[in-house]
Amino acid sequence: MKGKSIRKSAWSTYWKLHDQRKRLVERLKGYLDGLPPKTRRRTVLAMLAAFAALALYTFGKAVYDIGRNDGSRMVTDHAGQVELSLKPEVSDNFTPYYNNMYGTDEE
């Protein structure tokens, strides 16, 4: 019975938060719908300008930092021997895809 009460309280909390979120969204939409078109346009353009500035900064910083590793070079060694998976023993628990993955023994 304890599991049901926990589940019930969790769902109750979820729906309270869901309803609160819906009320907040409705209030925000009402406020934004009441703004004059000129103010809306300015708000959207300001948000677009902020996004563009941050995007350009991020891109510029990434291009500037290409190849800069504080003077250290990346070490490139041989990868070594790669271990391949072996075909498993025959069992009834394999899926048809897994059985056909390695091909047949007749090849």
Side-chain angles (χ1 to χ4, degrees):
M1 282 298 181
K2 193 173 189 178
K4 280 191 173 186
S5 65
I6 292 173
R7 191 178 312 149
K8 188 174 182 180
S9 67
W11 275 111
S12 174
T13 304
Y14 168 78
W15 286 114
K16 284 180 188 174
L17 290 173
H18 182 267
D19 292 341
Q20 188 176 16
R21 183 183 146 279
K22 278 179 92 174
R23 282 193 304 271
L24 182 65
V25 167
E26 287 175 13
R27 279 182 41 201
L28 186 61
K29 278 186 180 181
Y31 171 74
L32 294 176
D33 286 342
L35 289 177
K38 200 171 195 177
T39 306
R40 282 190 205 175
R41 189 177 310 119
R42 285 181 183 161
T43 305
V44 170
L45 288 175
M47 291 169 57
L48 180 64
F51 172 77
L54 288 172
L56 286 173
Y57 170 76
T58 304
F59 178 73
K61 178 102 171 98
V63 169
Y64 177 74
D65 287 343
I66 288 177
R68 292 182 46 151
N69 292 333
D70 299 328
S72 63
R73 294 187 51 87
M74 186 175 4
V75 177
T76 54
D77 287 336
H78 191 273
Q81 184 161 348
V82 179
E83 292 186 28
L84 301 175
S85 59
L86 302 174
K87 188 172 181 180
E89 297 295 321
V90 176
S91 173
D92 294 334
N93 298 329
F94 296 132
T95 61
Y97 170 77
Y98 196 73
N99 284 338
N100 295 329
M101 187 166 65
Y102 293 100
T104 59
D105 291 336
E106 290 92 32
E107 292 178 350

